Amino acid sequence: MAYFGNNQQRGELQELYADLNDLNFEKKKEAIKKVIAYMTVGKDVSQLFQSVIKCLEFQDIEMKKLIYLYIVNYSRQKPDDAIMVIQNFRKDVRKSENPLVRALAIRTFGCLRVPKLNEYLIEPLKDCVQDDDPYVRKTAVLCVPKVFEVSPELCPALLEQLQKLLEKESNALVLANLIQSMREIEVVKGKQLIVLNPKIIQKLLLAIDECMEWGQIFILDYLATYDPVDSKQAEIIIERTLPRLSHINPTVTFCAVKLILKYLDYLNNGDLVKNLCKKISPSLISLLSWNQPEIQYTILRNISLILQKFPILFENEVKVFFCSFNEPYYIKYEKLDIMVRICDSKNFHQVLNELMIYINEADPHFVRKTIKSIGKIAVMYDKALAEAVSILVEFAKNVQQANEAVQELFIQMQIIYRKNRNLYKTNDSLKILFSIIDYANEPEAKSACAWIIGEFAEFIPKSVEKMGEYVDNFILEDRLVQLQILTSGVKLYIKYPSLCSALIQQLINSAKDSFNPDVRDRTYIYWRLLSTDPEIVKNLICYVAVGSSQFQKDIRLWETKDLITALENMGSISNLFHKLPNQLYKNIKVRNNNQQEVKIYKADEKSEAPSKEQEIKKDDQIQQQQQQQQLKQDFDLLNFEEPVSNNNNNNNNNNNNNNNNNNNNNNNNKIDVYDLI
Amino acid sequence: MFGISSIYILDQKGRVLITRQYRNELPANIHETFNKKLLEFDEYTQKPVMIDKDGYTYIFIRHNNLIFMTVCSQNANCLMIFSFLFRLVQVLQEYFVNVEEESIRDNFVVVYELLDEMLDNGYPQTTEFKILKEFIKTESFQLKDKKQPEQTNFNVVALVSNKISWRKEGIKYKKNEVFLDVIEKLNMLIGQQGNVIKSEIIGQVQVKCMLSGMPELKLGLNDKAFFEAQGRQSKSRAVEFDDIKFHQCVRLSKFENERVIQFTPPDGDFELISYRLDIRVKPLFSVDVLIERKSATKIEFLVKAKSNFKPKSTANNVEIFVPVPDDAEQPQFRTAHGSVNYMPEKEAMCWSIKQFGGQRDFMMNAVFHLPTIVSPNRDKFQKMPINITFEIPYFTVSGFQVRYLKIQDKSGYNALPWVRYITQNGEYQIRMN
């Protein structure tokens, strides 16, 4: 049979019409297939509605399926005609001996989504929920949320029925789908529906063993939202879940991991917790070797979340995240990100060695990310600084063109210099950097260069000349660069007053009339200061920090209360985008977590009990400060690029007035690209 | 966690071949939004999940020239959807062998039936081919079963909701046999100095089951944890699995508690076990490449390949891919073993050796001419790794062994278990630099 006729003539519908009404059964069936084919490609065959549904009287299952498909598609356009089908449906549901037919009818019925049809549906649906055959029951159970979505007012009795079914149902397949359906209704309704008792939990645990893989997912995923009453119960449920870690379906394994991770908090046996972590970790790592990158990607995105609470899982496992050459880039980026996160004072050497290889790859965007990662590691660990600088310098030596990787190089070098000023000497880094300074073309990179020139003017032979070039092009530059040129220009003037007097004049002249209030204001302040007392400016601007400056690092991706919500949604779409469900979907109500703290599971714990991390919050009362201080070492900060909360962590925030006070992040000493005055 | 809102099978150009809505809440032409969205990205930035401004999420995989795409309007379980899509492709493969545009078009009725049965309200249901084929049949299947369709339908329904949903009663074979294929893939990353950066063994036990009735099978491996659980010392080399995963027929709780692998197998082919070992393995092959630039227009490669496994094993179909400059031309190869081909599309030369014995080393010499106009990516090849593919039969890197396979059935027949081992390359790479 030809699937898509190339030239549909006007008469084609007529022809189909004739065939549908033909007495020959085979002809009818062929005609129906054609109708479906047209429907698929988006041709309108709704006019045939009457003739199609007439064919329903035949008991051929294949044909029935096709006709139902057709009805589902067009019922919303033709609700009045659809009513005529109701009789057929009811007949199928009530009279058919064949459970397959009963199930098919009720399933299709649920898909109609025409409010006024639903009242005819309720009664047969109730029957089906109590059907003798489990296959029909599970289909009926799945039908309830469909009806509920369209006409919730019709459903109270049905929901009660579901609850009763939950009590007495013993078939695993039905149970799994029942849980899933009730959960869906819970979310839509925003009200708890499932009432668990020990008996039901017992039943669910049993069902996990017995039902098909997807059912296991439904049950595990649901149980992962349950709060066990005590340590004992948590232990039992975990015990029953552990075997699922060996399931071949990655989602089953992952849901089991999710459940166990959640229940760890409830256990009061420290050794058990450690053992469980040892079991979970290899399962997660196996999922990373899954041969489908799409699965790997989903797991990686979730791991960066899991890491925040469970660093213990990937202790000593950094090499799992090493990229291989042929992997898709979206995997490589995630791995890079995670590598930086699990980099610590013990393994940074290993990580840097690996990053050194990536820096040679061909794709500039990937190289850029690598450089950024190296910079992050350098800033986090004093010991890593020298090694990082030598890698970056090696890279700088081979630069031949202005690509985005080079831009990142300037930005990261600036940050590193800020961290430890003395590094300019190491490996001639400053000299080499200056030799490629003309390749800077992104605002952020340019401003970094301007900063470097101002800061190290005395070590750069042609610093004044170079600054002259910058000043010449001042008007053309981005605001960010302008601000830095201003500061650096003033620095240069302080350092070489006689050499730079013309330069500073030119600079102030071009800047004082800027349309940008930031630039203008800064110009005037410098101008005024310089004309009153250059000594003050010197103290302000040429201040050299003693030793290496303090940089905090923060590998947190989420705020504490968000972390809990996010962990509950492991595996979901929202987590994949590193968002909270309610940020992505308006209709979802998030369970309110008043939990202010979250247990962090680390490996190098001296005491058995996991330490507690206190949420750093602006409006937090001082009472928790003591605890905070104790933990400061564990947890500090470095900005990662995809912050979850809506505060803009960008270095170049556009607020002219310091609205930052409202940012909940203002505790962090951020690395600003430009100097504060 | 919600389910899939609708599923699409699209051709290469983004035209709809099949579409099925499970929740009628989507704009009619949403696949066109997807197609547009797809164009926003290139191969580097393309991720398998996209979201549009209205909050619809597109989750998709590619297979041959097709795109299998789902749209979700709610916060669905993304991992589950990916797993499902891969399973869908697998099932379609069992039905049509080649899943491509033509087979989908020709069998669209079956595909619709499958989609109807495999998903309900957007949640995956029965995805086991062995059950599906009992009640969704292609035309060739259909003819012989026509006599008693009602009867089979009843059985099927029972099967779906049964405890053992993967096997039906009443299977009969004249000769009862089971074939086990142990396939180990070695993933390996070797640094410039020949140091092993990463090594990992991914193993699989494939089963071809031709047994009558409802047999109960028990599989014994040289599993270290099993010996420990039994409290005895293993005589021979035992394997310590980092992770082991089973087909759903295996009683997982039994394994968890006693480390005993017991199951009632599906009929025919299936993957029983997949396992992973994270152990340091000595490289099976090491390759040294010496590059000499004779002049600005001539480059010479001296490649030395060495096998480090036992002399009694032999590797078959060894192929060594060595990257070369992307503008290299006029290759001249010299070697006493195997043959060499230049593959410009892969920017590599491929040295193939049909049989590579253990503890041997072979040499190969290659000379290329380079055009005077230098290609901008000429030096890129040095950053690309060497790839090796191979197969070593009757050998497992890990030392994995099947100790026994006990087969028991009520009828008490005798069955023959067979086993075969092979080691293959996974991602086997050597960094050049």
Side-chain angles (χ1 to χ4, degrees):
Chain A
M1 184 196 72
Y3 180 12
F4 307 142
N6 289 338
N7 44 353
Q8 190 197 9
Q9 289 140 6
R10 210 170 279 169
E12 210 141 25
L13 280 183
Q14 243 98 50
E15 227 170 83
L16 279 175
Y17 180 81
D19 281 353
L20 283 172
N21 290 304
D22 199 288
L23 290 175
N24 183 330
F25 173 74
E26 289 302 326
K27 228 176 187 170
K28 273 184 200 270
K29 198 165 165 180
E30 279 308 302
I32 297 235
K33 282 188 186 172
K34 258 187 205 157
V35 169
I36 300 293
Y38 285 143
M39 194 182 85
T40 306
V41 287
K43 284 176 189 157
D44 186 14
V45 280
S46 61
Q47 301 158 40
L48 299 171
F49 202 94
Q50 299 271 359
S51 324
V52 172
I53 56 175
K54 254 189 234 157
C55 299
L56 260 182
E57 56 196 87
F58 293 95
Q59 282 304 314
D60 184 80
I61 288 205
E62 192 188 351
M63 184 146 110
K64 255 198 167 75
K65 282 183 184 166
L66 291 176
I67 298 173
Y68 283 159
L69 192 67
Y70 176 88
I71 294 171
V72 169
N73 224 345
Y74 288 112
S75 61
R76 273 180 309 169
Q77 283 178 31
K78 305 216 162 204
D80 294 328
D81 286 348
I83 287 195
M84 303 191 309
V85 199
I86 295 284
Q87 277 316 318
N88 290 68
F89 273 125
R90 290 167 74 110
K91 210 172 90 199
D92 274 356
V93 170
R94 294 224 151 121
K95 300 255 167 64
S96 176
E97 291 279 299
N98 187 341
L100 214 54
V101 174
R102 294 206 295 276
L104 186 64
I106 204 75
R107 181 159 66 213
T108 314
F109 219 156
C111 292
L112 293 183
R113 287 171 197 262
V114 180
K116 63 175 166 183
L117 294 188
N118 275 341
E119 47 189 297
Y120 300 99
L121 174 58
I122 295 293
E123 284 312 312
L125 184 54
K126 278 182 182 163
D127 291 348
C128 285
V129 171
Q130 288 166 328
D131 200 287
D132 289 335
D133 192 285
Y135 184 75
V136 180
R137 280 209 299 282
K138 78 114 190 168
T139 313
V141 157
L142 279 169
C143 188
V144 178
K146 300 182 202 170
V147 179
F148 182 82
E149 203 183 338
V150 183
S151 356
E153 71 286 350
L154 293 173
C155 289
L158 259 177
L159 296 186
E160 261 171 51
Q161 234 185 342
L162 288 191
Q163 253 144 352
K164 275 187 201 136
L165 193 63
L166 183 62
E167 302 267 345
K168 62 172 203 244
E169 180 62 56
S170 59
N171 183 288
L173 185 73
V174 183
L175 215 53
N177 283 302
L178 178 63
I179 284 289
Q180 189 61 30
S181 288
M182 290 177 86
R183 242 186 115 184
E184 187 182 321
I185 298 173
E186 268 186 356
V187 177
V188 176
K189 216 176 170 195
K191 221 172 99 185
Q192 197 186 356
L193 203 65
I194 307 174
V195 188
L196 286 184
N197 59 36
K199 217 180 106 206
I200 295 178
I201 291 177
Q202 187 60 30
K203 218 163 57 175
L204 288 178
L205 290 174
L206 220 69
I208 295 178
D209 270 339
E210 289 175 3
C211 74
M212 49 131 202
E213 49 199 322
W214 311 105
Q216 298 180 13
I217 294 170
F218 302 153
I219 297 178
L220 289 172
D221 205 67
Y222 175 70
L223 283 178
T225 63
Y226 170 74
D227 297 310
V229 284
D230 54 22
S231 173
K232 187 78 206 141
Q233 192 189 23
E235 213 173 302
I236 292 171
I237 299 180
I238 288 178
E239 209 171 281
R240 301 296 293 270
T241 309
L242 272 175
R244 296 301 120 191
L245 291 179
S246 307
H247 200 285
I248 199 103
N249 185 322
T251 318
V252 175
T253 315
F254 190 72
C255 284
V257 169
K258 175 176 173 181
L259 184 149
I260 296 171
L261 288 182
K262 149 112 188 199
Y263 283 23
L264 283 186
D265 278 354
Y266 295 87
L267 294 179
N268 47 23
N269 177 346
D271 285 339
L272 183 62
V273 170
K274 270 190 188 161
N275 278 335
L276 286 171
C277 287
K278 263 188 211 136
K279 282 200 169 152
I280 292 170
S281 163
S283 292
L284 271 176
I285 291 169
S286 290
L287 293 181
L288 285 177
S289 327
W290 211 257
N291 49 11
Q292 289 128 356
E294 288 85 356
I295 304 260
Q296 283 182 31
Y297 175 69
T298 320
I299 302 289
L300 281 168
R301 288 296 276 183
N302 279 291
I303 280 184
S304 51
L305 157 79
I306 299 172
L307 261 177
Q308 185 173 340
K309 191 164 151 70
F310 303 96
I312 184 173
L313 290 178
F314 301 99
E315 268 277 312
N316 307 324
E317 297 291 357
V318 67
K319 69 175 177 7
V320 171
F321 300 100
F322 286 179
C323 306
S324 91
F325 189 79
N326 305 334
E327 275 171 332
Y329 276 97
Y330 61 85
I331 300 263
K332 288 190 184 185
Y333 294 152
E334 293 308 316
K335 286 192 171 172
L336 211 52
D337 194 42
I338 293 175
M339 269 162 73
V340 178
R341 270 158 205 279
I342 49 180
C343 181
D344 58 31
S345 48
K346 277 173 279 173
N347 63 15
F348 70 83
H349 180 72
Q350 199 185 0
V351 174
L352 284 177
N353 258 342
E354 184 65 19
L355 293 180
M356 197 165 74
I357 307 276
Y358 303 160
I359 221 172
N360 288 321
E361 280 211 27
D363 177 50
H365 194 61
F366 181 62
V367 176
R368 172 172 209 161
K369 285 228 172 201
T370 308
I371 292 177
K372 195 166 187 179
S373 310
I374 294 174
K376 280 177 189 164
I377 293 172
V379 171
M380 274 195 285
Y381 303 102
D382 290 345
K383 285 189 217 145
L385 264 174
E387 201 175 331
V389 170
S390 71
I391 295 175
L392 293 180
V393 168
E394 209 47 46
F395 174 76
K397 278 184 192 161
N398 295 324
V399 169
Q400 276 155 7
Q401 63 196 50
N403 58 21
E404 48 171 324
V406 184
Q407 311 305 316
E408 193 63 39
L409 177 74
F410 290 117
I411 298 168
Q412 293 305 323
M413 283 310 285
Q414 182 210 14
I415 296 174
I416 289 173
Y417 284 149
R418 272 170 186 267
K419 163 122 177 151
N420 187 344
R421 200 169 181 277
N422 292 326
L423 285 168
Y424 73 90
K425 287 180 276 191
T426 318
N427 307 22
D428 285 336
S429 63
L430 187 62
K431 197 175 135 200
I432 291 161
L433 217 54
F434 189 74
S435 69
I436 54 168
I437 210 157
D438 286 337
Y439 290 137
N441 53 20
E442 281 180 16
E444 226 182 311
K446 261 196 164 164
S447 110
C449 291
W451 181 87
I452 290 171
I453 295 172
E455 186 70 22
F456 299 109
E458 52 273 43
F459 309 109
I460 302 172
K462 290 184 178 166
S463 56
V464 179
E465 239 168 80
K466 189 74 212 167
M467 189 48 79
E469 273 174 43
Y470 277 128
V471 173
D472 288 344
N473 296 325
F474 185 84
I475 310 211
L476 305 174
E477 298 294 355
D478 191 90
R479 185 192 59 93
L480 188 72
V481 187
Q482 290 184 339
L483 286 170
Q484 188 56 53
I485 294 177
L486 267 173
T487 310
S488 291
V490 173
K491 259 188 205 169
L492 227 58
Y493 174 70
I494 301 278
K495 287 176 180 169
Y496 306 108
S498 51
L499 214 62
C500 296
S501 58
L503 184 112
I504 198 80
Q505 272 306 324
Q506 190 194 345
L507 181 59
I508 288 173
N509 275 336
S510 2
K512 71 179 178 10
D513 298 327
S514 167
F515 290 114
N516 186 300
D518 260 0
V519 176
R520 214 169 47 227
D521 283 357
R522 193 180 282 201
T523 316
Y524 277 100
I525 290 170
Y526 283 144
W527 195 1
R528 187 66 52 85
L529 276 169
L530 284 172
S531 47
T532 44
D533 188 358
E535 212 36 47
I536 298 180
V537 188
K538 190 173 181 179
N539 288 339
L540 271 177
I541 294 185
C542 296
Y543 168 77
V544 176
V546 187
S548 56
S549 350
Q550 283 299 308
F551 280 84
Q552 287 180 301
K553 51 185 187 297
D554 184 2
I555 54 167
R556 291 180 312 161
L557 197 59
W558 309 75
E559 300 286 328
T560 303
K561 69 174 190 324
D562 297 344
L563 176 64
I564 296 163
T565 317
L567 281 169
E568 272 182 8
N569 287 289
M570 260 165 67
S572 69
I573 291 174
S574 57
N575 268 11
L576 202 81
F577 291 103
H578 286 177
K579 289 260 180 14
L580 293 176
N582 51 331
Q583 288 172 326
L584 221 50
Y585 303 99
K586 303 257 152 30
N587 58 341
I588 289 186
K589 296 170 195 83
V590 171
R591 261 213 293 180
N592 246 341
N593 278 307
N594 297 323
Q595 232 172 314
Q596 289 293 321
E597 52 186 64
V598 57
K599 270 191 201 169
I600 304 288
Y601 294 81
K602 300 188 72 163
D604 47 342
E605 222 60 60
K606 273 163 210 120
S607 60
E608 287 290 293
S611 77
K612 286 180 182 172
E613 187 257 331
Q614 213 68 44
E615 173 68 2
I616 307 162
K617 244 179 153 188
K618 176 176 155 254
D619 45 5
D620 252 4
Q621 297 305 310
I622 314 155
Q623 22 162 284
Q624 290 151 352
Q625 265 192 358
Q626 288 180 330
Q627 219 165 340
Q628 263 180 32
Q629 272 170 355
Q630 183 197 331
L631 297 154
K632 221 167 189 171
Q633 305 148 307
D634 301 350
F635 236 79
D636 343 77
L637 124 107
L638 191 155
N639 289 320
F640 272 72
E641 50 190 332
E642 288 172 59
V644 176
S645 34
N646 36 9
N647 45 5
N648 42 345
N649 276 0
N650 296 340
N651 294 340
N652 46 348
N653 40 5
N654 290 324
N655 325 357
N656 348 0
N657 320 339
N658 275 349
N659 278 340
N660 297 9
N661 291 352
N662 301 338
N663 276 354
N664 11 2
N665 238 16
N666 60 345
N667 285 3
N668 311 339
N669 292 329
K670 274 190 291 186
I671 309 156
D672 257 336
V673 174
Y674 44 86
D675 286 13
L676 286 171
I677 313 160
Chain B
M1 293 276 174
F2 284 76
I4 296 167
S5 296
S6 73
I7 190 162
Y8 286 86
I9 303 179
L10 304 172
D11 72 4
Q12 223 161 3
K13 296 199 173 114
R15 283 176 303 217
V16 182
L17 297 178
I18 300 280
T19 166
R20 175 82 161 89
Q21 298 219 355
Y22 294 95
R23 297 151 173 270
N24 294 9
E25 56 210 10
L26 301 175
N29 283 333
I30 194 144
H31 65 280
E32 279 164 21
T33 320
F34 169 76
N35 288 334
K36 268 188 220 141
K37 201 106 183 111
L38 210 55
L39 294 175
E40 287 173 23
F41 302 95
D42 56 27
E43 55 174 324
Y44 295 123
T45 49
Q46 178 79 77
K47 293 174 185 171
V49 182
M50 301 190 290
I51 191 161
D52 70 8
K53 58 180 191 335
D54 300 319
Y56 295 117
T57 312
Y58 308 89
I59 300 175
F60 64 99
I61 62 169
R62 289 171 198 272
H63 181 84
N64 291 343
N65 49 8
L66 301 173
I67 296 177
F68 290 78
M69 187 265 284
T70 60
V71 184
C72 300
S73 61
Q74 292 289 348
N75 200 16
N77 187 333
C78 188
L79 190 60
M80 180 175 83
I81 294 173
F82 276 130
S83 313
F84 173 78
L85 287 177
F86 286 116
R87 182 65 56 82
L88 175 65
V89 172
Q90 217 178 327
V91 169
L92 293 179
Q93 266 171 335
E94 305 237 28
Y95 267 96
F96 317 133
V97 186
N98 287 324
V99 179
E100 53 192 15
E101 202 181 315
E102 207 173 275
S103 57
I104 297 286
R105 280 183 197 275
D106 288 349
N107 295 291
F108 77 99
V109 174
V110 178
V111 179
Y112 272 123
E113 283 187 62
L114 283 172
L115 287 177
D116 198 41
E117 203 55 53
M118 291 171 75
L119 282 173
D120 191 359
N121 201 20
Y123 301 116
Q125 300 292 317
T126 314
T127 53
E128 194 69 38
F129 168 68
K130 281 160 191 128
I131 304 169
L132 289 168
K133 74 165 185 209
E134 294 297 319
F135 61 126
I136 297 173
K137 297 177 194 300
T138 52
E139 274 160 27
S140 52
F141 270 126
Q142 227 162 19
L143 293 171
K144 46 182 177 187
D145 275 345
K146 210 147 203 177
K147 290 162 219 152
Q148 21 157 283
E150 283 292 288
Q151 193 50 44
T152 46
N153 281 337
F154 275 110
N155 291 341
V156 163
V157 169
L159 209 58
V160 171
S161 46
N162 230 358
K163 251 195 215 176
I164 295 177
S165 62
W166 51 86
R167 189 183 180 93
K168 60 174 180 180
E169 306 253 0
I171 298 172
K172 266 218 163 70
Y173 283 97
K174 258 192 200 149
K175 195 173 176 191
N176 289 296
E177 286 178 306
V178 192
F179 299 90
L180 302 183
D181 268 305
V182 180
I183 304 159
E184 285 196 347
K185 289 200 165 131
L186 180 60
N187 286 335
M188 195 152 217
L189 185 58
I190 300 167
Q192 295 117 285
Q193 283 88 33
N195 54 318
V196 177
I197 298 173
K198 202 161 96 170
S199 67
E200 188 183 50
I201 300 167
I202 307 279
Q204 249 183 349
V205 180
Q206 289 282 355
V207 181
K208 188 185 183 70
C209 176
M210 297 157 76
L211 296 174
S212 316
M214 288 297 241
E216 182 85 21
L217 273 60
K218 219 180 195 181
L219 179 69
L221 308 175
N222 57 340
D223 170 15
K224 195 170 170 199
F226 173 75
F227 291 130
E228 275 165 13
Q230 298 270 303
R232 57 180 158 128
Q233 289 284 321
S234 53
K235 285 169 212 114
S236 56
R237 199 166 137 211
V239 174
E240 197 176 353
F241 297 103
D242 280 280
D243 190 40
I244 183 159
K245 296 202 185 323
F246 297 103
H247 185 270
Q248 58 167 326
C249 66
V250 176
R251 300 212 176 90
L252 295 180
S253 15
K254 183 135 188 139
F255 178 76
E256 179 66 27
N257 298 330
E258 305 164 37
R259 289 298 276 200
V260 171
I261 304 167
Q262 202 172 343
F263 57 100
T264 301
D267 192 39
D269 296 310
F270 66 100
E271 183 182 330
L272 178 66
I273 305 178
S274 93
Y275 58 90
R276 187 176 60 84
L277 279 92
D278 191 5
I279 49 171
R280 206 134 266 229
V281 199
K282 267 195 236 149
L284 294 181
F285 291 94
S286 49
V287 176
D288 281 328
V289 179
L290 210 70
I291 299 169
E292 204 176 327
R293 286 165 205 266
K294 294 267 182 189
S295 68
T297 57
K298 200 171 168 190
I299 185 165
E300 185 179 336
F301 290 77
L302 188 64
V303 185
K304 196 173 123 185
K306 189 172 181 315
S307 62
N308 301 321
F309 43 87
K310 290 201 179 91
K312 64 176 184 193
S313 293
T314 303
N316 295 335
N317 304 324
V318 179
E319 290 190 322
I320 303 169
F321 295 86
V322 182
V324 299
D326 64 341
D327 55 354
E329 51 189 28
Q330 300 170 28
Q332 292 171 322
F333 301 117
R334 243 179 335 132
T335 178
H337 302 277
S339 60
V340 194
N341 283 314
Y342 178 36
M343 305 179 125
E345 73 284 359
K346 283 190 175 167
E347 295 169 28
M349 52 183 161
C350 170
W351 180 15
S352 20
I353 301 159
K354 279 264 165 299
Q355 298 218 307
F356 202 135
Q359 300 296 341
R360 299 284 303 271
D361 45 6
F362 297 142
M363 308 272 274
M364 189 267 281
N365 179 286
V367 180
F368 290 89
H369 281 270
L370 299 170
T372 31
I373 302 160
V374 180
S375 135
N377 292 326
R378 177 174 284 179
D379 286 332
K380 194 181 126 198
F381 78 98
Q382 282 172 315
K383 296 163 184 172
M384 293 174 11
I386 300 166
N387 275 288
I388 308 180
T389 65
F390 56 83
E391 269 182 15
I392 310 177
Y394 317 112
F395 171 76
T396 53
V397 212
S398 65
F400 182 100
Q401 251 181 353
V402 175
R403 287 167 47 236
Y404 59 79
L405 179 66
K406 288 180 190 153
I407 302 156
Q408 268 183 341
D409 187 66
K410 274 182 283 188
S411 61
Y413 58 75
N414 280 323
L416 294 171
W418 302 91
V419 65
R420 191 160 65 160
Y421 302 94
I422 192 165
T423 293
Q424 294 174 341
N425 62 290
E427 205 165 47
Y428 197 103
Q429 299 191 329
I430 302 172
R431 283 179 178 162
M432 226 165 48
N433 282 77

